[in-house]
Amino acid sequence: MIYAVWVPLLMPFVAVPAARRLADALAPLRAVGLLASTAVGLALCSTLALVLLVVPGATQLSAVAAVGELVKPLAAAPAAVAVPLALAALALLSGCTAAVVRTARRHWVELQRARQSAECSGDELAVLRDSRPDAYALPALPGSPGRIVVTTGMLRALDPAERNALLAHERAHLAGRHHLFLAAAELAALCHPALRSLRAPMGYALERCADEAAAVAVGDRRVAARAIGRAALAARAAEGVRARPRVALAAAAGPVPRRVAALLGRATHRPGVGRAAAAALLACLILSGAAALEATNDLHSSIEVAQGEVPQR
């Protein structure tokens, strides 16, 4: 176990470089699915690895050994090594747990506050009287449907065709439940520092999904590209920026020039690079999961030996 348990902790450092190439090289929807599964899978495996590091050190305590009915110490787990590792792993687990709970609570509070300001209408579209241009998709909450929030400043900045494209973009975020993927990447990043670099590719891929949906809805890729570009310019030229929930997706967010170039067909797509990056990410995920399972089985076998149920090999 002492070797296999480190693989899930080191694998995210290998996966992140491949993920950076993935967002541009693959179709947006495929990129979102693979990025989300990779982020969540690697986060779960690294968390399990920390738990596996805590257990051998914890069994050095007489109370824990009594609960586990251990008649001798765990095999291959000397106290001089197991106890410091357990303390370090426990500190990391506690920090991750606190960060996840704190972030989830902050997101919930932000969504609740945004909901209160957007309850001025019972329709899907909530128009706020604000000269600062802004528009975003507010995800659904229990008992409350999703809503598109747009300010009067943003409506004035766009022509009718561009407004339709902007609303179609935000509607695609709601229909695809994109906030769940963004929240998954955000929470996964709290479980391992290397996974923080997956948030930007995930956000870009989600915006690209909505961009393509908007282009299909209005039937003109140039109109969709113009709407995104003008919305971003208007939002950035404003004196202040409206506070919006972190999990609320906005058309004016992210690397807008790259998104516009992709809509206009000017981006260089490399399917071979995309397939290679996808294969690398899947390999990282499979290897991390296999190592975590092997470490779990090794620990289980060591516990059985320590309980005297099977002879030590």
Side-chain angles (χ1 to χ4, degrees):
M1 183 191 77
I2 194 63
Y3 301 108
V5 76
W6 295 106
V7 174
L9 296 174
L10 297 176
M11 196 53 62
F13 294 103
V14 179
V16 167
R20 290 173 179 168
R21 293 177 175 268
L22 186 64
D24 276 324
L26 280 184
L29 189 58
R30 292 182 179 178
V32 166
L34 194 53
L35 285 171
S37 59
T38 300
V40 173
L42 292 178
L44 291 176
C45 289
S46 63
T47 302
L48 176 59
L50 290 177
V51 173
L52 294 176
L53 287 173
V54 170
V55 174
T59 57
Q60 299 293 331
L61 299 175
S62 57
V64 176
V67 171
E69 299 179 351
L70 304 184
V71 296
K72 55 184 176 181
L74 289 182
V81 175
V83 173
L85 279 178
L87 292 175
L90 182 60
L92 290 174
L93 276 174
S94 301
C96 291
T97 302
V100 168
V101 172
R102 184 170 58 250
T103 300
R105 183 179 181 278
R106 184 178 69 244
H107 286 175
W108 180 261
V109 172
E110 290 175 352
L111 286 175
Q112 291 283 12
R113 290 175 179 173
R115 270 287 174 190
Q116 293 175 1
S117 64
E119 289 297 336
C120 55
S121 171
D123 301 327
E124 179 192 44
L125 178 63
V127 179
L128 303 182
R129 294 185 177 276
D130 195 322
S131 60
R132 294 170 294 181
D134 197 10
Y136 54 90
L138 193 60
L141 292 177
S144 181
R147 184 154 296 180
I148 298 171
V149 180
V150 61
T151 65
T152 53
M154 180 62 80
L155 293 178
R156 285 195 296 267
L158 306 178
D159 63 33
E162 293 165 351
R163 292 173 194 165
N164 290 335
L166 179 70
L167 296 180
H169 176 102
E170 304 301 348
R171 193 172 292 114
H173 282 317
L174 294 179
R177 296 182 177 273
H178 292 170
H179 63 283
L180 295 179
F181 295 98
L182 190 63
E186 179 80 15
L187 296 179
L190 299 175
C191 298
H192 195 290
L195 296 178
R196 295 172 186 171
S197 296
L198 290 183
R199 291 181 295 187
M202 173 66 79
Y204 173 74
L206 290 172
E207 293 300 335
R208 284 286 298 117
C209 286
D211 291 344
E212 292 296 327
V216 171
V218 300
D220 191 329
R221 298 180 69 85
R222 295 186 65 85
V223 170
R226 192 171 69 243
I228 292 167
R230 291 188 64 181
L233 288 174
R236 292 173 185 177
E239 294 182 358
V241 179
R242 285 186 55 83
R244 71 169 74 103
R246 294 172 185 262
V247 293
L249 291 137
V256 174
R258 286 169 56 198
R259 293 166 50 201
V260 170
L263 277 172
L264 297 178
R266 298 172 185 167
T268 301
H269 296 286
R270 293 175 289 177
V273 174
R275 286 192 292 269
L281 281 181
L282 286 175
C284 290
L285 185 58
I286 292 172
L287 184 58
S288 183
L293 287 177
E294 181 181 354
T296 302
N297 289 332
D298 287 348
L299 179 61
H300 182 264
S301 299
S302 297
I303 291 176
E304 288 185 333
V305 170
Q307 290 174 334
E309 296 180 1
V310 293
Q312 184 173 357
R313 291 177 290 181

